[in-house]
């Protein structure tokens, strides 16, 4: 049987990280498995959000964390049913809101944040088929 093509980002985190509960609290991720270093810090963690897998990997010579380079060149888009709830969860779990939730003329509801490890996220929903909101997208 042919495997379905999937996109699975690998987010680089600083060495020495042991607590990745942000992803569980903010995004509802489930940790599927973890490979730890001798000191208990994360080497690789495999997580899943609604069936979509992504990895956290400690930085190395060729893979630098956003914190090491002072920024990120990637924004991770996550399509969800309730943008407001995910954004509120992210902020409560320690994210910095970079773009408050709003509805755009092109038919998307979007909000953005930077997670505690420096990764940029855009939380999105296609609202082209929804009736116009009367109270800022709620």
């Amino acid at each position: 049987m042919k495997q379905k093509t999937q996109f699975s980002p690998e987010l680089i985190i600083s060495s020495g990280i042991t607590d990745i509960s942000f992803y569980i609290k903010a995004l509802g991720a489930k940790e599927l498995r973890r490979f730890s270093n001798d000191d208990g810090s994360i080497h690789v963690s495999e997580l899943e959000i609604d069936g979509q897998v992504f990895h956290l990997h400690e930085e190395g010579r060729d893979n630098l964390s956003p914190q090491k380079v002072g920024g990120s060149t990637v924004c991770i888009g996550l399509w969800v049913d309730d943008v407001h709830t995910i954004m509120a969860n992210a902020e409560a779990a320690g994210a910095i809101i970079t773009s408050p939730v709003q509805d755009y003329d092109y038919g998307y509801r979007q909000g953005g944040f930077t997670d505690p490890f420096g990764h940029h996220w855009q939380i999105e929903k296609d609202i082209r088929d929804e009736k116009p909101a009367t109270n800022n997208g709620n």
Side-chain angles (χ1 to χ4, degrees):
M1 179 167 75
K2 183 178 180 194
Q3 180 171 329
K4 182 180 175 183
T5 300
Q6 297 180 351
F7 185 75
S8 179
E10 183 172 281
L11 308 180
I12 307 302
I13 58 175
S14 299
S15 296
I17 300 293
T18 57
D19 182 9
I20 56 166
S21 61
F22 169 82
Y23 297 104
I24 295 161
K25 293 174 186 174
L27 305 174
K30 294 178 187 159
E31 188 173 34
L32 302 176
R33 58 186 176 157
R34 177 185 291 199
F35 301 96
S36 297
N37 297 311
D38 291 340
D39 67 357
S41 64
I42 295 170
H43 177 63
V44 175
S45 175
E46 183 175 83
L47 298 112
E48 170 269 318
I49 300 171
D50 197 22
Q52 301 302 307
V53 174
F54 70 103
H55 297 89
L56 300 177
H57 197 293
E58 76 173 322
E59 63 189 358
R61 187 182 59 191
D62 295 326
N63 297 314
L64 302 176
S65 71
Q67 293 166 327
K68 175 79 91 183
V69 298
S72 178
T73 62
V74 174
C75 180
I76 301 122
L78 183 65
W79 294 86
V80 299
D81 283 330
D82 187 344
V83 175
H84 289 280
T85 295
I86 297 297
M87 292 290 291
N89 290 347
E91 186 172 29
I96 296 168
I97 303 301
T98 56
S99 177
V101 176
Q102 71 180 66
D103 294 349
Y104 289 91
D105 292 340
Y106 48 83
Y108 292 170
R109 177 172 298 140
Q110 297 172 314
F113 65 82
T114 300
D115 74 27
F117 305 104
H119 300 286
H120 300 287
W121 292 79
Q122 183 161 276
I123 309 304
E124 308 174 86
K125 181 178 183 177
D126 185 332
I127 57 170
R128 290 177 288 182
D129 293 333
E130 291 185 8
K131 294 180 182 172
T134 57
N135 58 355
N136 196 25
N138 287 319

